[in-house]
């Protein structure tokens, strides 16, 4: 019989894929686990049983899913926002604000997970491609205002125009050739439409002569199909009117200006749509139609001159943000500018506002002017997110892109062309990434990979690292659409929601070779996470919404993981150890008051009375169906969850012991501030010394289990079936290995 003394001093590899079960040649194999559930890893190497979450209240409408978002003004003004179907509720300092205060909103249940929120002190900009952008303003803790953002002016572009408003058919005399006659069923053509293109699907023709309001001649650039007539609403004009145009003044901003064309150039619909005229380096928004040669507007950016502009030197543009063209789906603040991106009509475009003017998107030639850019990509993938990381990082459905000014420190501005370059090609979902010291963390386009994007000086670009490479199973079936939560301190961790209702915890510190996933399972389905600074100011607080199915039906509950319950300030451990938990404090009782547990009616709950785990009770009438045997002054009640850790098969570096029978002749588990556990189904003793549990000192040291029997695996499974703390630092012992020659 051969012997070995393997030791597992670190769990910094987290839960690993079954695909690496045979890869004991990997250094990381020795830090991984087969199973790591309801444990949170430490950067230092150990793992701790997560705290339970405290029940706060039911969501406003349990029949529909809601989502939690964070907003941090400063450490003492940190809020969790509950966005539900057409409402918003607010939380601060571990409590709901101003019950029953809530705010009406336009956002429907199905659209809420696609919202992107970007806060600037006490104002939150809210983006969704199907809704006008809005601002949520904090006027007071129970005084919030939701208003539409009035971009002044908004970005604009030359869109294909349905000049008849869906009223006129179009009949070409031929499918190809030059000088081809096109007739419209209604007189909608203007003289200045010469040189514009007729568009029908992939077919194009350029107008060379305007004969009548119902007739033009055009050169066909791309053949037209044999469709006569082309139905109304399916053909368009591309480009701006071609005529000379004269403004009657050039400044100031806000002034009314008259634009006079030599030829008929404008339609009432142009003014109704509040289109933009860009002329002589200035920006004018139309507001009054006089006739086809004369319109009025408001100066949004001063003109360099009021001289007449020649054909082809001015443009008539549509608003980029509208019901017809969609609204921004993503936003970010960068270098004193408001960045937005990704409408339905311009999915690969992004814009930066004028400097220190978040709602002014007037482009120009000065450094302070707004920036407009459309990414020319091999694939037509929408921009899903923007992140300020010094340069602007842009995530699309196929690429990760960097945009910056030329040179080293040149900021982006209207006077320069941005330097835009693809960095990597994972692609992403429209889930807002999280910026950490170790990179931008985002979910890839499949929803199955979690990527860290960080700058590499070796290749002078941002590179993505697939954090799920050795744990590809951990995201299955997929990461759910919604927010990623990030607790910065005391232990930096990221939290994701899976589409099956499990939560994921990730600790990632590449400098320390830490990349550890664990899973979070509760009695219910986790639907949303949010993280904000704790009211105590010394750490972060993780909030959660959970869908719980009671015998009476579905409930959606909101709460937070409580690692320092104030009721247990004098106890050796302060964290709650049950989920959806409430704590009774008061006179000594053998049962909680009637209705105290209404939120868990009909459920079997765990009971911790005066810090001792008293087993389970059924909730009937909002209290226990059976009184406790001993009265208690502090009773924690909630749903049980089980922390469980199972190791990989034991291995010895450089030695093949696969397929050989093995047994632990002695097995030790090193614990820190713990009480109770099971090691491979056996329970080590944790004597209290006759003290009540609320006075006992937690155990730190080694617990051993003798002779666990022979088999080929010899995994070690550590569970915590009771509502007590458990932190595992190491597993070691003497492993007896069958001699293959014996």
């Amino acid at each position: 019989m051969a012997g070995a003394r393997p030791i597992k001093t670190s769990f910094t590899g987290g839960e690993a894929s079954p695909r690496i079960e045979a890869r004991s040649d990997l250094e990381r194999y020795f830090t991984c686990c087969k199973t790591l559930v309801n444990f949170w890893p430490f950067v230092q190497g150990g793992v701790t049983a997560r705290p339970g979450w405290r029940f706060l209240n039911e969501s406003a409408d349990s029949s529909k899913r809601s989502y939690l978002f964070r907003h941090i003004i400063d450490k003492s003004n940190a809020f969790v926002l509950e966005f539900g179907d057409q409402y918003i509720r607010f939380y601060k300092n571990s409590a709901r604000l101003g019950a029953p205060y809530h705010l009406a909103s336009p956002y429907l249940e199905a659209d809420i997970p696609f919202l992107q929120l970007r806060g600037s002190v006490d104002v939150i900009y809210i983006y969704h491609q199907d809704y006008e952008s809005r601002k949520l303003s904090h006027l007071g803790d129970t005084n919030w205002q939701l208003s539409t953002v009035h971009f002044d002016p908004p970005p604009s572009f030359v869109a294909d125009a349905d000049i008849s408003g869906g009223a006129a058919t179009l009949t070409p005399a031929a499918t190809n050739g030059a000088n081809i006659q096109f007739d419209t069923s209604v007189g909608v053509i203007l003289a200045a439409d010469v040189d514009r293109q007729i568009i029908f699907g992939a077919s194009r023709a350029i107008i060379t002569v305007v004969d009548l309001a119902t007739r033009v001649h055009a050169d066909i650039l791309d053949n037209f199909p044999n469709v006569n007539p082309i139905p109304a609403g399916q053909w368009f004009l591309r480009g701006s009117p071609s005529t000379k145009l004269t403004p009657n003044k050039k400044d100031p901003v806000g002034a009314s200006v008259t634009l006079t064309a030599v030829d008929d150039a404008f339609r009432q619909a142009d003014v109704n749509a509040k289109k933009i005229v860009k002329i002589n380096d200035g920006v004018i928004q139309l507001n009054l139609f006089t006739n086809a040669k004369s319109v009025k507007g408001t100066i949004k950016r001063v003109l360099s001159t009021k001289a007449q502009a020649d054909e082809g030197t001015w443009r008539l543009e549509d608003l980029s943000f509208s019901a017809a063209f969609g609204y921004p789906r993503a936003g970010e603040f960068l270098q004193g500018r408001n960045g937005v991106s990704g409408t339905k009509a311009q999915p690969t475009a992004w814009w930066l506002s004028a400097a220190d003017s978040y709602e002014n998107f007037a482009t120009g030639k000065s450094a302070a002017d707004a920036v407009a850019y459309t990414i020319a990509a091999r694939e037509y993938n929408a921009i899903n997110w923007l992140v300020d990381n010094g340069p602007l990082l842009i995530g699309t459905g196929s690429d990760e892109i960097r945009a910056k000014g030329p040179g080293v420190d040149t900021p982006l501005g209207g006077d320069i062309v941005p330097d835009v370059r693809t960095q990597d090609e994972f692609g992403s979902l429209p889930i807002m990434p999280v910026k950490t010291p170790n990179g931008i963390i985002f979910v890839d386009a499949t929803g199955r990979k979690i990527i860290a994007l960080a700058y590499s000086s070796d290749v002078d670009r941002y590179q993505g690292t697939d954090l799920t490479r050795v744990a590809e199973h951990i995201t299955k079936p997929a990461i759910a659409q919604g927010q990623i939560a990030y607790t910065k301190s005391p232990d930096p961790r990221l939290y994701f929601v899976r589409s099956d209702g499990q939560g994921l915890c990730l600790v990632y510190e590449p400098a320390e070779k830490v990349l550890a996933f664990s899973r979070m399972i509760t009695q219910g389905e986790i639907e949303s996470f949010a993280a904000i600074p704790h009211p105590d100011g010394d750490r972060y607080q993780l909030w959660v919404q959970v869908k719980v199915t009671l015998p009476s039906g579905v409930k959606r509950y909101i709460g937070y993981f409580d690692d320092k319950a104030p009721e247990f300030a004098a106890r050796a451990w302060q964290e709650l150890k049950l989920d959806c938990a409430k704590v009774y404090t008061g006179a000594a009782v053998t049962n909680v008051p009637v209705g105290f547990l209404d939120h868990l009616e009909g459920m079997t709950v765990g009971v911790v009375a005066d810090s001792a785990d008293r087993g389970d009770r059924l909730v009937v009438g909002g209290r226990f169906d059976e009184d406790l045997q001993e009265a208690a002054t502090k009773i924690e009640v909630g749903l049980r969850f089980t922390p469980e850790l199972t190791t990989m098969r034991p291995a010895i570096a450089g030695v093949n012991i696969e397929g050989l029978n093995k047994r632990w002749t002695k097995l030790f588990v090193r614990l820190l501030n713990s009480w109770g556990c099971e090691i491979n189904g056996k329970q080590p003793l944790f004597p209290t010394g006759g003290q009540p549990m609320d006075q006992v000192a937690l155990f730190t040291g080694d617990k051993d289990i003798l002779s666990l029997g022979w088999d080929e695996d010899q995994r070690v499974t550590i569970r915590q079936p009771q509502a007590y703390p458990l932190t595992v630092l190491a597993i070691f012992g003497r492993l007896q290995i069958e001699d293959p020659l014996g």
Side-chain angles (χ1 to χ4, degrees):
M1 299 286 182
R5 296 184 61 83
I7 181 169
K8 189 177 188 71
T9 61
S10 172
F11 304 92
T12 54
E15 184 173 299
S17 166
R19 295 179 182 178
I20 72 160
E21 284 280 358
R23 293 301 307 277
S24 59
D25 58 315
L26 296 177
E27 179 183 357
R28 186 176 169 185
Y29 179 93
F30 294 91
T31 65
C32 288
C33 298
K34 178 181 183 292
T35 303
L36 192 60
V37 172
N38 290 324
F39 278 99
W40 286 351
F42 289 124
V43 172
Q44 294 86 348
V47 292
T48 188
R50 68 166 175 85
W53 59 274
R54 182 185 290 265
F55 168 81
L56 197 55
N57 57 249
E58 184 179 353
S59 69
D61 183 356
S62 272
S63 70
K64 296 179 180 179
R65 185 168 180 168
S66 54
Y67 295 82
L68 305 180
F69 293 81
R70 68 166 197 163
H71 178 55
I72 302 171
I73 297 176
D74 55 44
K75 260 190 173 183
S76 59
N77 285 285
F79 302 89
V80 169
L81 283 53
E82 174 195 339
F83 274 72
D85 190 72
Q86 297 189 303
Y87 75 87
I88 310 171
R89 298 202 299 187
F90 306 89
Y91 299 83
K92 180 184 178 182
N93 294 335
S94 304
R96 185 180 157 200
L97 288 171
Y101 176 76
H102 75 279
L103 201 62
S105 89
Y107 304 111
L108 300 177
E109 175 191 15
D111 299 324
I112 294 170
F114 296 93
L115 296 179
Q116 293 202 21
L117 278 62
R118 288 298 189 189
S120 176
V121 192
D122 54 359
V123 176
I124 307 168
Y125 284 78
I126 306 175
Y127 301 105
H128 189 290
Q129 66 177 5
D130 294 328
Y131 294 81
E132 286 189 81
S133 301
R134 283 171 167 80
K135 290 188 295 189
L136 181 61
S137 301
H138 172 249
L139 307 177
D141 285 357
T142 55
N143 185 11
W144 297 73
Q145 183 181 78
L146 186 65
S147 58
T148 301
V149 178
H150 296 290
F151 296 107
D152 189 25
S156 57
F157 72 118
V158 179
D160 293 345
D162 179 2
I163 59 171
S164 76
T169 62
L170 178 70
T171 303
T175 60
N176 59 77
N179 197 32
I180 304 301
Q181 181 174 312
F182 286 75
D183 293 288
T184 64
S185 60
V186 178
V188 293
I189 306 296
L190 300 178
D193 289 334
V194 69
D195 292 336
R196 298 179 78 176
Q197 291 185 23
I198 300 171
I199 304 295
F200 173 52
S203 302
R204 295 183 303 147
I206 187 165
I207 298 172
T208 56
V209 178
V210 173
D211 303 294
L212 302 168
T214 58
R215 181 179 299 164
V216 300
H217 280 74
D219 294 339
I220 294 177
L221 305 176
D222 296 299
N223 290 356
F224 277 70
N226 189 17
V227 177
N228 268 315
I230 296 171
Q234 295 187 25
W235 62 276
F236 306 90
L237 288 193
R238 178 174 294 172
S240 292
S242 181
T243 186
K244 298 181 187 296
L245 185 66
T246 305
N248 71 336
K249 62 178 67 174
K250 66 183 184 69
D251 56 29
V253 170
S256 178
V257 59
T258 298
L259 296 169
T260 303
V262 171
D263 302 299
D264 288 352
F266 297 100
R267 298 172 172 86
Q268 179 69 56
D270 297 331
V271 173
N272 293 345
K274 299 181 179 179
K275 290 188 178 182
I276 297 289
V277 173
K278 292 185 176 178
I279 181 172
N280 297 344
D281 301 325
V283 177
I284 297 167
Q285 188 163 24
L286 302 184
N287 55 35
L288 181 64
F289 179 81
T290 304
N291 55 56
K293 289 186 174 70
S294 179
V295 291
K296 290 186 177 181
T298 302
I299 295 176
K300 298 298 182 180
R301 184 183 187 278
V302 297
L303 286 63
S304 59
T305 176
K306 63 178 183 178
Q308 185 180 71
D310 290 333
E311 302 96 324
T313 65
W314 64 276
R315 298 192 306 277
L316 178 65
E317 299 187 349
D318 280 273
L319 305 185
S320 291
F321 307 156
S322 67
F325 300 122
Y327 302 97
R329 72 189 306 178
E332 176 63 299
F333 294 102
L334 175 80
Q335 300 169 359
R337 301 172 187 266
N338 181 15
V340 295
S341 65
T343 65
K344 288 181 177 178
Q346 297 175 274
T348 63
W350 54 272
W351 303 268
L352 298 178
S353 71
D356 300 318
S357 185
Y358 289 164
E359 293 163 22
N360 176 3
F361 283 84
T363 55
K365 295 182 178 179
S366 75
D369 287 334
V371 177
Y373 193 94
T374 298
I375 297 170
R378 295 190 303 273
E379 300 178 22
Y380 200 55
N381 284 290
I383 294 175
N384 287 324
W385 47 260
L386 305 174
V387 172
D388 172 14
N389 199 53
L392 180 67
L393 298 181
I394 302 168
T396 78
S398 63
D399 305 288
E400 292 72 58
I401 296 167
R402 182 225 66 203
K404 69 180 190 67
V408 179
D409 296 316
T410 305
L412 289 166
D415 61 335
I416 63 171
V417 176
D419 179 7
V420 178
R421 300 188 186 187
T422 297
Q423 305 294 289
D424 220 325
E425 298 181 347
F426 284 97
S428 61
L429 292 180
I431 296 174
M432 284 175 56
V434 171
K435 187 163 69 171
T436 76
N438 299 307
I440 307 300
I441 309 297
F442 67 90
V443 180
D444 89 320
T446 69
R448 289 295 310 277
K449 295 180 180 180
I450 296 170
I451 309 299
L453 187 70
Y455 178 75
S456 170
S457 58
D458 292 340
V459 294
D460 189 26
R461 65 180 175 90
Y462 284 81
Q463 285 187 302
T465 300
D466 177 7
L467 303 184
T468 55
R469 184 178 296 276
V470 184
E472 105 299 326
H473 73 296
I474 204 78
T475 56
K476 191 175 182 179
I479 299 297
Q481 182 68 38
Q483 303 300 295
I484 305 169
Y486 176 40
T487 54
K488 295 182 180 180
S489 64
D491 302 290
R493 299 185 179 108
L494 295 107
Y495 306 87
F496 306 80
V497 176
R498 281 194 342 195
S499 58
D500 63 354
Q502 291 192 20
L504 300 182
C505 172
L506 167 63
V507 178
Y508 177 54
E509 293 287 345
E512 304 294 333
K513 296 184 178 181
V514 178
L515 200 177
F517 283 100
S518 64
R519 291 180 288 131
M520 299 165 63
I521 301 177
T522 186
Q523 290 190 47
E525 297 177 25
I526 296 172
E527 293 188 326
S528 188
F529 286 126
I532 59 173
H534 194 281
D536 292 347
D538 60 347
R539 62 196 188 281
Y540 268 63
Q541 183 181 58
L542 181 65
W543 287 64
V544 67
Q545 176 178 289
V546 178
K547 176 184 174 183
V548 180
T549 302
L550 306 180
S552 60
V554 168
K555 297 289 185 181
R556 286 181 161 91
Y557 292 146
I558 294 169
Y560 55 89
F561 292 86
D562 200 342
D563 60 341
K564 286 188 179 180
E567 299 92 340
F568 303 123
R571 191 174 70 178
W573 72 98
Q574 282 191 251
E575 65 265 31
L576 298 184
K577 283 301 174 185
L578 298 168
D579 281 346
C580 201
K582 291 181 71 174
V583 180
Y584 164 84
T585 60
V589 294
T590 56
N591 208 328
V592 295
V594 173
F596 185 78
L597 297 175
D598 280 349
H599 69 298
L600 293 176
E601 183 67 24
M603 299 292 284
T604 298
V605 296
V607 180
V608 179
D610 285 344
S611 302
D613 192 323
R614 303 288 183 91
D616 295 339
R617 295 290 190 278
L618 181 67
V619 177
V620 178
R623 66 201 311 251
F624 307 145
D625 65 331
E626 179 184 346
D627 289 348
L628 301 175
Q629 292 183 349
E630 299 178 13
T633 60
K634 296 180 181 179
I635 305 175
E636 176 187 347
V637 189
L639 301 175
R640 290 193 184 273
F641 62 93
T642 303
E644 182 171 322
L645 178 163
T646 299
T647 64
M648 308 295 283
R649 294 183 180 89
I652 302 171
V655 179
N656 181 15
I657 61 172
E658 297 297 324
L660 300 179
N661 277 331
K662 316 168 192 69
R663 69 166 180 161
W664 293 100
T665 57
K666 198 149 194 177
L667 179 68
F668 294 88
V669 176
R670 183 158 295 170
L671 304 177
L672 174 67
N673 295 329
S674 300
W675 197 266
C677 69
E678 288 181 356
I679 305 173
N680 282 16
K682 298 185 178 182
Q683 295 183 345
L685 292 177
F686 288 80
T688 65
Q691 293 180 307
M693 279 302 299
D694 56 1
Q695 298 177 24
V696 76
L698 296 179
F699 176 80
T700 294
D702 299 338
K703 288 291 182 181
D704 63 299
I705 297 291
L706 298 176
S707 189
L708 299 180
W710 291 90
D711 66 33
E712 293 182 4
D713 284 355
Q714 287 301 313
R715 302 182 194 273
V716 178
T717 296
I718 302 172
R719 301 173 70 252
Q720 177 55 291
Q722 294 181 295
Y724 295 136
L726 176 64
T727 297
V728 181
L729 298 182
I731 299 172
F732 56 95
R734 181 170 180 81
L735 184 69
Q736 193 172 7
I737 305 168
E738 179 184 46
D739 187 345
L741 301 178

